[in-house]
Amino acid sequence: MKFFLKCDDAAHVCDKTQYKEAGLFDKLMLKIHLLMCKLCRGYAKRNTKLTKTIHSADIKTLSPEEKERLKTRLQDEIENGYNS
C-alpha cells in the first residue's frame, strides 16, 4: 500500500472525486498530496470551479425524439442534395 500519490494519480483521484467515484482512502491520500503540491492544488481548484460552472449553466438539451427527428432530417438533406 502506498501512502503518497504521484501527481498523475492525484489528478485521477481528483477527477474521480469530482464525479463522486473516489473512495474514502483515495480522498484522504488526495488531501495529503494537495497539502504538499501547489500544482495539484491549482488543478483541484480549477476542477471544482469547472464543475460548479457546468452545474449552474442550466444547459438545455434535445430530447431523444428531437435528436432522432434532427438526424433524419439531416440525412434526408444529404441524400436529396442541399439545393434541390
Side-chain angles (χ1 to χ4, degrees):
M1 180 183 311
K2 60 183 180 178
F3 291 101
F4 296 103
L5 293 174
K6 295 178 185 175
C7 289
D8 289 341
D9 295 333
H12 181 69
V13 173
C14 184
D15 294 341
K16 284 174 60 176
T17 301
Q18 177 183 3
Y19 297 107
K20 301 188 182 357
E21 298 173 355
L24 183 62
F25 183 74
D26 285 337
K27 290 178 188 178
L28 178 62
M29 293 292 93
L30 177 62
K31 292 280 187 188
I32 292 169
H33 183 88
L34 293 179
L35 288 172
M36 298 182 288
C37 183
K38 184 177 181 178
L39 292 175
C40 288
R41 270 196 311 274
Y43 178 83
K45 186 176 181 179
R46 288 188 303 276
N47 229 14
T48 301
K49 185 176 181 179
L50 176 62
T51 301
K52 287 180 181 179
T53 302
I54 289 170
H55 286 298
S56 66
D58 194 31
I59 297 171
K60 306 290 186 219
T61 60
L62 297 175
S63 70
E65 296 81 20
E66 291 170 318
K67 289 179 186 179
E68 192 58 40
R69 282 196 301 266
L70 183 59
K71 181 180 174 181
T72 302
R73 182 175 168 201
L74 287 171
Q75 287 173 340
D76 290 344
E77 291 275 339
I78 291 170
E79 290 171 5
N80 297 328
Y82 298 107
N83 297 322
S84 295

